[in-house]
Amino acid sequence: MRGVGTLEQEEDMEVEVDEEDERMQNLRSKATELLLREEYNESIQIYSQIISICQESISTKNPDGAHLNKLQKTLCLAFSNRAEARARLLEFSEALKDCEEALRIEKSHFKTLLCKGKILLSLNRYSAALDCFKAANLDPQANENFDVVNGFLEKCKKFEFLSRTGAFDVSDWVLSGFRGKMPEFAEYIGAVEIKKSEISGRGLFATKNVESGTLLLVTKAVAVDRAIMPQDSGENAQLVIWKNFIDKVEESAKKCTETSSLISMLSAGEDEGSLEVPDIGVFRHETEVKSGTSCEKLDVRRMMGILDVNSIVEDAISAKVLGKNADYQGIGLWILASFINHSCDPNVRRLHIGDHVVVHASRDVKAGEELTFAYFDVLSPLNSRREMAKNWGFKCMCKRCKFEENVSYKQELREIDIVLGKGLVDMGSLVYRLEEGMRRWMVRGKGKGYLRASFWEAYSKVFGSEKMMRKWGRKIPEGMMVVDSVVDVVGSDERIVRVFMEGLKRGGGINGVVEMEKGMKLGRGIYGKVMKKQAMRTLLQF
């Protein structure tokens, strides 16, 4: 027979349990309401209270089997819901920790597996996300949520395929006039690696031969800020975009340790030669970046330096592909793309579609060759490029710049540049003078392409004018020959394709098979092989 004292203790415990249950129920109801109202920070605070109460009861009160089981279920659900709230705030690192705690209690918890899968999908860890959704699909609750689970499974399979193959296609979107839903992109890393660069610090290099238009990289921005910026916008408007962008990057770094670790690998413009060369696998996202000190290193001063050196401005071509007007401007941070150095004879090109940057070869690239793109307009003379490079904080010493800087006839080129800048001369005579000069100077091969690219403005005006072509056409090289030589050194460009198209129209060969293939190759250099021929023809206006 139990004593009176024992019975009183049991009754007290039952009362305490009942009070705890009532308090817990009130907290759960309040937290659920906050979660549904999208007041995530407040709901996180309540779920944290529930977690503390459960953990304290389990560790100090030695609950019996039934009560322990109940506490563990409550604890598991609280971790799961807090993970959901944190994920909505993009606090992915903390959210994943909560998911792991919940799954440690119940390894097949449906809601947690779904939440973890969505977080991993957001972090571009497609295989790991797919495993979560497959596990969730085995739970009986999946039958009640078939469309949701199946939707995530199909999306994961699609993204995993795209990240493995790079088989992107934006044709339908282009043909629709950029209306409707924007294409979905997965992160993709092609035949590239990071190595020490002779240009500056570290660079991205091709690991095999690739032809013009080959997709090399698709990556999503850490952060991007955009606005319509009319040409008469003052400096203050630019500063507003820059401040908003900095705030977004800082917020992303705070919320995700992986993002912070990756940003910290970038150069801040100092001691670039001593920086470690990261393995390209770090950027494949299938395993979490391990770095215990990254967040400490990423102080505000260093981050400002990193953004100053590595931020990328969305260009006019991207604005066209996005269907935006000419005043549209954007700036963003795409970490892996930040390893691509500048050259005035670039071999890759980028397109910005949504928050993704798509990088492809703009001309044929050999294995081991460093990938470079233009930070500014390279269809301009050496002095203009020098000024633009100065604004970016560096002096370009690419093969083209060295060639133009060291040639013995640079005084004559400077005179041609001055005449071009004044715009008071017949452009045909200027082109003729340059071509005759190259003949006298015995300029061969790429040297001709370099100089023609530098004075492209003059060539385009001549080739675009029937009057000038009647006057100068027989005294200067054919447009197609000039186009080939310029593309060989700077890759494809819309302005070059425009000259090519105008030449075809004048010659009546726009419907020829050879001309069509030539135009398609030029188009692939601008837009890459991410679209079908009909979409390419639309963009090229065949």
Side-chain angles (χ1 to χ4, degrees):
M1 182 179 294
R2 286 176 294 177
V4 175
T6 304
L7 288 172
E8 287 177 351
Q9 286 178 353
E10 290 180 356
E11 287 173 0
D12 289 342
M13 286 179 63
E14 288 177 6
V15 169
E16 191 174 332
V17 167
D18 289 341
E19 289 177 349
E20 184 183 273
D21 284 347
E22 184 178 354
R23 183 187 175 195
M24 203 80 77
Q25 183 59 46
N26 290 334
L27 288 172
R28 282 201 302 264
S29 297
K30 187 175 181 180
T32 301
E33 182 184 347
L34 290 168
L35 194 62
L36 291 173
R37 282 163 40 188
E38 300 183 2
E39 296 179 23
Y40 301 120
N41 283 311
E42 292 78 4
S43 70
I44 288 170
Q45 292 176 11
I46 303 299
Y47 284 123
S48 296
Q49 288 184 47
I50 294 172
I51 290 167
S52 295
I53 292 169
C54 289
Q55 289 176 331
E56 184 181 355
S57 293
I58 291 171
S59 63
T60 63
K61 296 181 180 178
N62 195 26
D64 60 30
H67 187 45
L68 176 62
N69 186 53
K70 189 174 182 180
L71 284 170
Q72 286 178 327
K73 283 181 178 284
T74 301
L75 185 59
C76 178
L77 189 59
F79 273 124
S80 183
N81 286 336
R82 191 170 73 174
E84 182 72 33
R86 283 175 163 167
R88 296 295 182 89
L89 293 172
L90 307 182
E91 296 174 357
F92 295 135
S93 299
E94 295 303 310
L96 281 176
K97 289 178 185 177
D98 280 346
C99 287
E100 293 305 321
E101 291 294 335
L103 293 174
R104 193 172 287 117
I105 298 167
E106 187 179 335
K107 66 179 182 179
S108 60
H109 191 253
F110 175 78
K111 189 172 184 180
T112 304
L113 288 169
L114 208 59
C115 180
K116 184 180 178 182
K118 289 187 290 184
I119 295 168
L120 292 171
L121 186 57
S122 297
L123 293 172
N124 307 307
R125 292 163 64 181
Y126 309 119
S127 296
L130 187 59
D131 290 341
C132 285
F133 294 129
K134 284 180 177 177
N137 199 40
L138 298 174
D139 192 277
Q141 289 188 58
N143 295 328
E144 302 171 15
N145 300 272
F146 175 79
D147 290 340
V148 173
V149 178
N150 192 59
F152 281 120
L153 277 170
E154 292 304 312
K155 187 172 185 178
C156 259
K157 289 175 183 177
K158 174 186 172 183
F159 279 14
E160 192 277 331
F161 174 76
L162 290 175
S163 71
R164 184 165 35 85
T165 64
F168 299 91
D169 186 356
V170 297
S171 303
D172 292 340
W173 187 55
V174 172
L175 290 170
S176 72
F178 310 107
R179 290 185 292 273
K181 187 179 179 182
M182 190 175 290
E184 289 186 310
F185 284 88
E187 297 227 335
Y188 168 76
I189 299 174
V192 300
E193 63 179 340
I194 303 170
K195 295 196 303 184
K196 289 286 185 180
S197 167
E198 293 182 3
I199 298 174
S200 176
R202 303 159 299 177
L204 212 59
F205 292 75
T207 58
K208 68 178 184 180
N209 295 340
V210 295
E211 64 178 15
S212 179
T214 299
L215 183 66
L216 296 167
L217 179 67
V218 178
T219 184
K220 189 176 181 181
V222 169
V224 64
D225 196 68
R226 304 181 177 100
I228 301 297
M229 297 286 291
Q231 292 187 357
D232 59 353
S233 298
E235 188 176 329
N236 287 339
Q238 298 281 354
L239 289 174
V240 168
I241 290 183
W242 179 247
K243 183 182 182 303
N244 291 340
F245 168 61
I246 291 172
D247 290 344
K248 288 180 179 180
V249 174
E250 189 174 13
E251 191 71 13
S252 296
K254 284 180 179 178
K255 289 179 175 179
C256 182
T257 55
E258 181 175 350
T259 298
S260 178
S261 297
L262 293 174
I263 294 174
S264 71
M265 293 179 186
L266 297 176
S267 166
E270 301 172 355
D271 301 323
E272 291 193 25
S274 64
L275 292 174
E276 182 183 347
V277 177
D279 187 275
I280 196 70
V282 169
F283 298 90
R284 296 190 189 276
H285 297 292
E286 287 306 318
T287 56
E288 187 176 358
V289 177
K290 303 296 182 185
S291 178
T293 59
S294 61
C295 293
E296 295 174 9
K297 291 180 181 177
L298 197 59
D299 56 37
V300 175
R301 181 179 172 276
R302 175 166 165 73
M303 189 185 74
M304 292 288 286
I306 287 172
L307 296 184
D308 189 47
V309 172
N310 297 281
S311 301
I312 297 175
V313 177
E314 292 179 329
D315 57 18
I317 300 296
S318 301
K320 175 178 177 180
V321 175
L322 279 165
K324 303 291 185 182
N325 64 40
D327 294 330
Y328 167 90
Q329 291 186 25
I331 185 169
L333 178 65
W334 291 267
I335 296 176
L336 188 51
S338 297
F339 285 92
I340 303 177
N341 285 310
H342 165 84
S343 175
C344 293
D345 59 342
N347 54 20
V348 302
R349 198 177 180 99
R350 69 184 190 269
L351 292 173
H352 298 264
I353 303 179
D355 286 347
H356 287 83
V357 67
V358 180
V359 177
H360 62 269
S362 59
R363 53 187 170 90
D364 295 346
V365 179
K366 294 180 180 178
E369 186 177 346
E370 181 168 2
L371 305 178
T372 57
F373 55 46
Y375 289 8
F376 44 76
D377 184 12
V378 293
L379 289 180
S380 51
L382 177 64
N383 287 337
S384 297
R385 300 200 311 274
R386 286 279 190 242
E387 283 300 314
M388 288 184 280
K390 186 177 180 181
N391 291 335
W392 277 83
F394 68 92
K395 181 180 181 180
C396 183
M397 294 301 293
C398 68
K399 290 180 180 178
R400 178 182 169 192
C401 286
K402 287 179 180 179
F403 170 82
E404 293 183 49
E405 190 175 62
N406 296 329
V407 289
S408 60
Y409 41 84
K410 59 184 177 183
Q411 179 57 40
E412 293 180 69
L413 290 177
R414 199 172 292 123
E415 291 172 4
I416 294 174
D417 185 9
I418 292 170
V419 172
L420 178 64
K422 291 180 178 179
L424 300 175
V425 70
D426 181 341
M427 290 298 171
S429 66
L430 193 150
V431 169
Y432 176 74
R433 180 181 174 184
L434 180 61
E435 289 292 332
E436 282 297 297
M438 286 192 287
R439 183 179 61 78
R440 291 196 317 273
W441 307 326
M442 298 184 69
V443 176
R444 300 285 185 269
K446 286 197 171 185
K448 285 188 175 182
Y450 290 152
L451 295 181
R452 286 167 176 168
S454 291
F455 295 96
W456 179 255
E457 181 184 346
Y459 283 94
S460 63
K461 287 181 178 177
V462 174
F463 291 131
S465 167
E466 290 189 18
K467 182 179 178 181
M468 287 190 191
M469 285 302 292
R470 283 196 298 269
K471 181 178 179 181
W472 295 101
R474 294 185 179 183
K475 299 177 182 179
I476 61 176
E478 292 183 359
M480 299 306 151
M481 184 186 299
V482 173
V483 164
D484 284 342
S485 67
V486 174
V487 169
D488 187 46
V489 297
V490 298
S492 290
D493 184 280
E494 272 200 331
R495 292 164 290 180
I496 298 173
V497 171
R498 193 177 303 124
V499 166
F500 171 79
M501 294 299 299
E502 288 169 352
L504 285 186
K505 290 174 184 176
R506 277 197 303 271
I510 196 165
N511 294 315
V513 175
V514 175
E515 290 81 4
M516 176 70 75
E517 286 304 314
K518 174 79 171 179
M520 287 296 172
K521 183 173 182 179
L522 291 174
R524 286 192 290 272
I526 301 173
Y527 303 110
K529 297 178 181 178
V530 295
M531 58 189 79
K532 298 183 179 74
K533 279 190 175 182
Q534 187 55 47
M536 187 73 77
R537 291 182 67 167
T538 298
L539 287 171
L540 297 177
Q541 299 175 353
F542 261 108

